[in-house]
Amino acid sequence: MGSIEHENDIHVIDPIDPEEFRSQAHKVVDFIADYYKNIEQYPVLSQVHPGYLRKNIPEESAPNVPECLEQILQDVTRFVVPGITHWQHPNFYAYFSASKSTAAFLGEMLSSGFNVNGFNWLSSPAVTELEMLVVDWLGEMLKLPKSFLFSGGGGGGGVLQGTTCEAILCTLVAARDQKLREIGRDKFSKLVVYASDQTHMCLKKAAHVAGLGEENLRVIETTKSELYALSPNSLRIAIQSDIENGFIPFYLCATIGTTSTNAVDPLGPLTAVAQPHKIWVHVDAAYAGSACICPELRHFLNGVENVNSISLNTHKQFFSAPDCCCLWLKDPSALKNSLSTNPPYLRNAATDSGEVVDFKDWQITLSRRFHAIKLWVVMKSYGQENLRSFIRHHVEMAKLFEEMVKRDPRFELVAPRNFGMVCFRLSFWDVDMSNVINARLLEEINKSGKAFMIHTVVKGVFMIRITIGGMMTKERHVVSTWKLVQELAEKVMVMEGI
């Protein structure tokens, strides 16, 4: 693939021949369109075994001569597709969805086509200025306080990162350094991070990368009676105990829509506990944040005006493809103080003027993709009302599944439904037996190839979680999936002699 010229008997490939690109790109677009057209014919969860690919591809090394695109696509069909778990399948209900749309495809094509690296304003002014625009647009849709927006005039602003893992690491480092400047670096070992036992594992990883060990992390137990949300009173007790023992509280991660049960931590009461101790409060709204553009769901963000930072992934419910995480900060200077580097080869008049934003100072890496054009194309292509309607449709389908579970006396809901996720299980008095049977049920569901879900375990209880957020999921898919669950539940119960 690629045009080949002959110069002094040396084959020179032209990597970008515009007309060849036009021809080849049409073939790839057709291939992808056919994949989506026929996606329901595939098992949702890949059925291959470990090591399948090396066993099936006969070549032992990369080819010495070019292969035609048609042969490459045939090999994709033969070797790659069987090993794909089809995240865009309408019956993919595992983890959280990786949303996609035609607009996101086109935005990605533009981003890849321009292939610019927007690490500072000078390197591509449009990359920076469009990013500032779209994060403000989304912030306004969420009704974030003006203090978080570039247009707010208070010094706040937002940045597009890859994932929430990056956002949490960046804010944790900023909070760490801000506190150490206040108390002295010799007290590093006394710093303490707070979170609930439902907080995503990326916080623990971020703390480790930031040099903080288990002794610096306080995981506060949640209870079913408080809907698995972080209790402000439990937080208060933990903070007071740490202060009495010579520790220094500095960072709290609250969650809007936890991974296991979609629990929502109460931002207002938590910030009331944290503020007197100058604790940086970050809100992880990775999954559920996008849903808060709907006025009827915005109350889940009440209290956000008192936090330091908030992040969400537009690639989960907002029509955008991975990766695209929005991080807003009330005071970005703390982040820049920790992450700024200014070697001579990056110095320029625009940066020195102080009139521009250099996003390299808002993230871990130097290089950065043109994320903003993808989000901009999505917002312009669909408009606010269509985006809200789509999210509402997912929530309504989750409500439908919830009602169907309630109507079957063999099943129970294990946690309240917030947004588009339902936690359920076959109900038995004996917890151990229930865990075994529900694990068997989940295994049968995924083995069928007709749907893919995952489980979680909370307080020793094994539960199945279904997250409805796929771009191709319709009500008929949800209904047929419930029928599948019922049929396989009957099969499992017969197998177990129940």
Side-chain angles (χ1 to χ4, degrees):
M1 191 165 68
S3 299
I4 300 177
E5 300 174 358
H6 297 273
E7 298 178 1
N8 300 323
D9 295 324
I10 297 175
H11 290 213
V12 179
I13 296 176
D14 181 358
I16 301 180
D17 177 280
E19 293 310 314
E20 182 184 36
F21 168 73
R22 192 189 312 277
S23 171
Q24 305 280 38
H26 279 298
K27 294 174 184 176
V28 173
V29 169
D30 285 343
F31 180 90
I32 295 171
D34 287 341
Y35 167 74
Y36 276 88
K37 182 178 180 180
N38 301 310
I39 195 168
E40 291 191 55
Q41 75 182 27
Y42 301 112
V44 189
L45 178 64
S46 174
Q47 306 295 305
V48 302
H49 299 289
Y52 90 98
L53 195 58
R54 188 170 290 276
K55 294 175 183 176
N56 284 281
I57 292 183
E59 295 87 352
E60 295 184 0
S61 60
N64 286 320
V65 295
E67 295 181 1
C68 66
L69 178 62
E70 288 76 10
Q71 179 61 53
I72 294 171
L73 292 179
Q74 285 177 21
D75 285 350
V76 170
T77 300
R78 291 171 60 202
F79 302 130
V80 177
V81 172
I84 289 177
T85 289
H86 301 280
W87 282 64
Q88 303 309 310
H89 194 292
N91 290 331
F92 180 98
Y93 306 110
Y95 314 113
F96 289 122
S97 62
S99 66
K100 192 75 175 180
S101 64
T102 298
F105 269 123
L106 301 178
E108 287 277 12
M109 289 175 66
L110 289 170
S111 176
S112 180
F114 289 129
N115 195 30
V116 293
N117 190 345
F119 47 80
N120 63 13
W121 182 88
L122 183 66
S123 66
S124 267
V127 174
T128 296
E129 298 200 10
L130 192 61
E131 186 160 333
M132 295 171 70
L133 179 70
V134 296
V135 294
D136 270 10
W137 279 7
L138 183 51
E140 289 166 357
M141 291 173 68
L142 291 164
K143 299 194 183 310
L144 292 183
K146 291 291 185 182
S147 55
F148 285 98
L149 308 181
F150 287 109
S151 59
V159 58
L160 297 178
Q161 303 211 3
T163 68
T164 291
C165 297
E166 297 170 52
I168 288 179
L169 176 58
C170 287
T171 56
L172 184 65
V173 168
R176 178 200 67 186
D177 292 349
Q178 180 174 266
K179 182 61 72 173
L180 291 176
R181 281 191 290 271
E182 176 189 334
I183 64 175
R185 298 198 68 85
D186 59 312
K187 295 186 175 65
F188 180 89
S189 64
K190 297 297 183 180
L191 296 179
V192 179
V193 175
Y194 299 89
S196 85
D197 58 5
Q198 301 302 304
T199 303
H200 194 275
M201 51 73 62
C202 68
L203 175 65
K204 183 177 181 180
K205 180 181 285 190
H208 178 70
V209 173
L212 300 163
E214 295 280 351
E215 66 277 9
N216 303 101
L217 187 61
R218 301 290 179 268
V219 178
I220 300 172
E221 186 176 356
T222 58
T223 63
K224 187 175 183 178
S225 63
E226 294 193 79
L227 309 180
Y228 303 114
L230 176 56
S231 161
N233 189 51
S234 296
L235 175 64
R236 182 182 293 107
I237 292 170
I239 290 172
Q240 190 59 43
S241 174
D242 279 326
I243 291 173
E244 290 173 358
N245 286 286
F247 289 96
I248 303 167
F250 85 101
Y251 188 91
L252 165 66
C253 183
T255 307
I256 306 298
T258 60
T259 301
S260 282
T261 65
N262 241 342
V264 175
D265 293 336
L267 299 185
L270 290 173
T271 54
V273 173
Q275 279 185 330
H277 306 286
K278 298 181 180 179
I279 296 173
W280 182 299
V281 181
H282 177 73
V283 178
D284 171 10
Y287 160 68
S290 296
C292 294
I293 66 171
C294 301
E296 67 273 19
L297 299 174
R298 173 57 176 76
H299 65 92
F300 288 111
L301 290 183
N302 286 351
V304 71
E305 63 274 8
N306 295 319
V307 309
N308 299 81
S309 54
I310 177 173
S311 60
L312 63 83
N313 293 343
T314 63
H315 56 254
K316 285 190 165 68
Q317 291 196 82
F318 204 75
F319 281 78
S320 306
D323 51 349
C324 193
C325 170
C326 296
L327 167 65
W328 291 270
L329 303 104
K330 193 175 291 183
D331 180 13
S333 66
L335 190 68
K336 292 184 285 184
N337 288 338
S338 291
L339 302 179
S340 292
T341 53
N342 293 291
Y345 47 81
L346 292 182
R347 290 176 186 162
N348 61 85
T351 295
D352 292 342
S353 74
E355 296 179 359
V356 301
V357 171
D358 288 344
F359 278 125
K360 70 177 177 60
D361 300 327
W362 296 50
Q363 62 179 32
I364 300 297
T365 64
L366 172 65
S367 299
R368 62 193 333 268
R369 297 176 58 217
F370 197 175
H371 289 297
I373 197 166
K374 173 175 61 177
L375 202 51
W376 188 62
V377 171
V378 167
M379 289 179 170
K380 288 176 69 67
S381 295
Y382 301 121
Q384 294 189 37
E385 283 309 309
N386 275 324
L387 291 166
R388 291 189 182 100
S389 295
F390 202 76
I391 290 171
R392 285 174 177 139
H393 182 51
H394 286 152
V395 173
E396 289 303 314
M397 287 190 287
K399 288 180 180 178
L400 171 64
F401 191 90
E402 178 186 34
E403 288 302 316
M404 291 188 293
V405 172
K406 286 180 179 179
R407 290 199 295 266
D408 190 324
R410 299 172 299 173
F411 289 86
E412 66 174 332
L413 297 168
V414 196
R417 180 206 52 77
N418 292 320
F419 312 105
M421 191 175 90
V422 180
C423 295
F424 69 101
R425 66 172 183 162
L426 281 165
S427 178
F428 298 95
W429 286 107
D430 186 286
V431 174
D432 291 336
M433 181 178 72
S434 176
N435 288 350
V436 170
I437 292 174
N438 280 285
R440 183 70 55 81
L441 172 58
L442 179 62
E443 181 183 359
E444 292 293 328
I445 292 169
N446 292 337
K447 192 168 64 175
S448 74
K450 297 178 181 178
F452 179 35
M453 305 175 197
I454 64 168
H455 76 282
T456 190
V457 178
V458 179
K459 309 303 177 185
V461 175
F462 183 104
M463 61 188 80
I464 302 171
R465 58 190 290 288
I466 175 171
T467 304
I468 299 171
M471 299 294 103
M472 302 181 74
T473 303
K474 304 290 189 296
E475 186 175 308
R476 64 179 175 86
H477 297 110
V478 174
V479 172
S480 64
T481 296
W482 174 241
K483 291 179 179 177
L484 173 70
V485 171
Q486 289 180 306
E487 292 168 4
L488 294 177
E490 186 68 32
K491 173 184 175 182
V492 168
M493 292 171 73
V494 169
M495 289 168 57
E496 296 292 331
I498 298 172

